[in-house]
Amino acid sequence: MERRTGTVSRGIRCPIIREGDDIASIVVNSVIEASEAEGFALRDRDVVAVTESVVARAQGNYASVDAIAEDVKNKLGGGSVGVIFPILSRNRFAICLRGIAKGAKKIILMLNYPSDEVGNALVSLDQLDEAGVNPYSDVLSEEKYRELFGENLHPFTGIDYVKYYGDLIRSCGAEAEIILANDPRVILRYTDCVLNCDIHTRARTKRILRDAGAKCVVGLDEILNKSVNGSGYNERYGLLGSNKSTEDTVKLFPQDCFDLVEKIQAMFMERTSKHIEVMVYGDGAFKDPVGKIWELADPVVSPAYTKGLEGTPNELKLKYLADNDFADLKGEELKKAIETAIKEKGSDLVGNMASQGTTPRRLTDLIGSLCDLTSGSGDKGTPVILVQGYFDNMTD
C-alpha cells in the first residue's frame, strides 16, 4: 500500500540521566523500546537526535561560579573589565555574570540596543524614533537611558535587565557602570581589558577591538576553555552554550562528542541492522515572530553528528514544477511528471529555478530546529528525538 505520511518527529521518553551514565546505551534502548511499545519500525536513514543538555550531564561537564571568577581574573587582570554584548538571560548569562563580577573590581557593562544579539529588547524601535536616538552612533549612559525610556520590562520574564544585571554585579562585590552602545570600540573609552560575550559575531568583535588597540581581549568562548581546579570546560566554546544548573554552578556545552554519535550509530546497526543517522542538538535556529527572539543562543545548533547529516537539502519545489514546467497537466499525469522530474534531478540544484524557495540551510540546522521544537525545554521528558522520513520525497 502507498505510504500516506512524510516526515514524522517523535519525542522519546528516557530515564533521568545523571553524571557517569552510559548515555549511548540509554539512547539506543529508549528508542528501541519506544518502537516496540508504540508499534513503529525503524528504517535506514532515520535520525536519532540527543539534546546537548543530557550529553553534558552524563559527561559531568559542570563548573562553579568561583571557577569562572578565577579564570576571568587570570585572563583579564582582576581590575576594571569591560563586559560587552551579553544576551539578556537569567538562565544563560546571569550565572556567568556572577562569576565574571567576582573576578574583577569593576565591571563596565555595555549592552546592545534596542535589543541583544538574539532579539531580547531593552527598548523598541518606535521608542528610539520618538526620542531621536540613533543606535548606530549614540552612546547612552544608564541615566540617559532611564531619562529617555524609563523602565522596560521583558515581555516574557517581566525582568528589567538593566537593573537586574547592575544589581547582580554589585551583589558580587564589584562596582558596576552600565552603558548602551553598538560599536565595540566605545568600551575602550572606559577600559582596555574587554570580555566580549557575543555569540555569533564574536570573531568580528575581537578583530575590531584588537585593531583599535585594546590591551586585552578575551571572548566568552575563552573562559573555561580549559579546566580550572578540576572544573568542567569546553575547549572550543568555553562558556558559550552554558546554562544555569544551580545558584552556584553552570552546565557547560558538551565536550567533543563525535565519538558518542558514532558509537550510538554503531549500536543501532548491531541491534537493528539499520543505518541510523545520529546527532547532538542544542537550540534551534528560528525566530519568534511575536517576541522577536531568535532562539539560537548556543554557538551552534549541533556540536556533533554522523557523516550522513553533512550538507544541505537538494530538493525541487513542487509548486514551481506544477505552475511552470507542467502547467498544462493535472491529476495522475501531473503526479507522474513530477515524480519523473524528482527521480531525474541532478545532484546539485544550485541555480536551478525549480529549486528556488527550498531552504538553503544545513541539514543539521534544519533537523536540529525540528528536534528542539519537538522536545521543548520544559517537562516533556523527551531528551531524545526520532525523526523518520526526513530524507524521503514523494516518490518513496
Side-chain angles (χ1 to χ4, degrees):
M1 189 172 77
E2 182 181 8
R3 278 175 53 193
R4 306 300 294 177
T5 59
T7 302
V8 176
S9 179
R10 289 183 173 91
I12 305 297
R13 291 180 176 169
C14 298
I16 301 298
I17 294 169
R18 298 290 192 185
E19 180 176 348
D21 284 350
D22 181 355
I23 192 168
S25 294
I26 291 173
V27 170
V28 174
N29 290 339
S30 296
V31 172
I32 291 175
E33 289 168 6
S35 71
E36 293 170 349
E38 303 294 335
F40 59 85
L42 297 178
R43 300 194 292 264
D44 286 326
R45 296 222 75 190
D46 285 353
V47 179
V48 169
V50 188
T51 181
E52 59 83 20
S53 177
V54 296
V55 176
R57 192 183 306 156
Q59 290 176 343
N61 203 18
Y62 295 88
S64 68
V65 166
D66 289 338
I68 296 172
E70 182 169 339
D71 213 20
V72 167
K73 186 174 182 179
N74 290 339
K75 290 175 177 174
L76 289 141
S80 293
V81 176
V83 176
I84 71 171
F85 303 157
I87 63 172
L88 307 176
S89 171
R90 295 169 298 172
N91 175 45
R92 288 284 190 174
F93 187 71
I95 186 75
C96 297
L97 184 57
R98 283 190 60 211
I100 295 165
K102 291 182 71 173
K105 291 180 180 178
K106 180 177 180 178
I107 298 294
I108 301 95
L109 182 66
M110 192 169 94
L111 302 173
N112 299 97
Y113 78 102
S115 63
D116 70 6
E117 182 181 0
V118 296
N120 295 291
L122 288 173
V123 60
S124 72
L125 287 171
D126 289 334
Q127 287 175 296
L128 292 184
D129 292 341
E130 291 175 12
V133 172
N134 183 346
Y136 297 104
S137 60
D138 293 346
V139 179
L140 305 180
S141 66
E142 184 177 1
E143 293 72 24
K144 188 64 176 179
Y145 168 73
R146 294 300 185 193
E147 175 189 330
L148 292 173
F149 307 115
E151 182 183 63
N152 287 276
L153 304 181
H154 191 282
F156 296 153
T157 66
I159 298 292
D160 180 329
Y161 277 97
V162 173
K163 181 179 187 303
Y164 177 57
Y165 279 178
D167 289 346
L168 190 154
I169 292 167
R170 286 183 282 269
S171 73
C172 295
E175 184 182 349
E177 182 174 359
I178 299 177
I179 57 175
L180 282 69
N182 292 304
D183 183 343
R185 292 167 293 192
V186 168
I187 196 65
L188 299 181
R189 303 175 192 174
Y190 302 82
T191 179
D192 57 5
C193 291
V194 185
L195 176 63
N196 68 293
C197 302
D198 44 342
I199 306 162
H200 306 289
T201 56
R202 61 189 183 276
R204 176 176 180 268
T205 299
K206 290 177 188 177
R207 173 180 56 78
I208 290 172
L209 288 168
R210 287 168 180 154
D211 289 349
K215 175 184 174 183
C216 178
V217 181
V218 177
L220 207 60
D221 56 332
E222 297 170 275
I223 301 298
L224 292 189
N225 59 352
K226 295 181 180 178
S227 180
V228 175
N229 298 325
S231 74
Y233 65 98
N234 188 294
E235 186 173 347
R236 184 173 183 184
Y237 297 118
L239 281 175
L240 293 180
S242 63
N243 294 87
K244 180 179 179 179
S245 176
T246 70
E247 293 302 320
D248 298 302
T249 58
V250 293
K251 178 201 63 61
L252 301 171
F253 214 46
Q255 298 177 37
D256 181 46
C257 39
F258 277 94
D259 287 347
L260 172 65
V261 296
E262 290 176 353
K263 179 180 179 181
I264 292 173
Q265 184 178 62
M267 291 176 70
F268 272 117
M269 176 59 72
E270 182 180 351
R271 295 273 301 274
T272 68
S273 299
K274 302 298 180 184
H275 180 86
I276 307 293
E277 302 294 351
V278 184
M279 65 184 290
V280 176
Y281 71 96
D283 274 349
F286 48 84
K287 185 174 182 178
D288 172 17
V290 176
K292 313 300 183 191
I293 297 171
W294 184 37
E295 177 69 11
L296 187 52
D298 285 327
V300 289
V301 173
S302 177
Y305 46 87
T306 49
K307 292 181 179 179
L309 296 177
E310 294 176 349
T312 58
N314 190 60
E315 300 173 347
L316 295 172
K317 196 76 170 180
L318 298 190
K319 65 182 181 182
Y320 181 90
L321 294 175
D323 292 345
N324 292 273
D325 295 31
F326 310 125
D328 57 334
L329 303 179
K330 60 182 179 179
E332 190 64 25
E333 191 177 9
L334 173 61
K335 180 183 176 184
K336 288 182 178 179
I338 290 178
E339 287 178 346
T340 298
I342 292 172
K343 291 176 180 178
E344 295 177 352
K345 69 183 178 182
S347 60
D348 184 358
L349 297 174
V350 174
N352 187 324
M353 289 297 289
S355 69
Q356 67 177 346
T358 58
T359 308
R361 290 163 57 190
R362 293 185 303 178
L363 289 168
T364 51
D365 293 340
L366 291 164
I367 299 171
S369 298
L370 171 62
C371 292
D372 189 27
L373 288 167
T374 303
S375 62
S377 57
D379 57 8
K380 290 183 172 62
T382 54
V384 173
I385 305 299
L386 172 66
V387 179
Q388 297 188 290
Y390 192 86
F391 295 102
D392 293 352
N393 59 52
M394 65 176 289
T395 70
D396 294 315

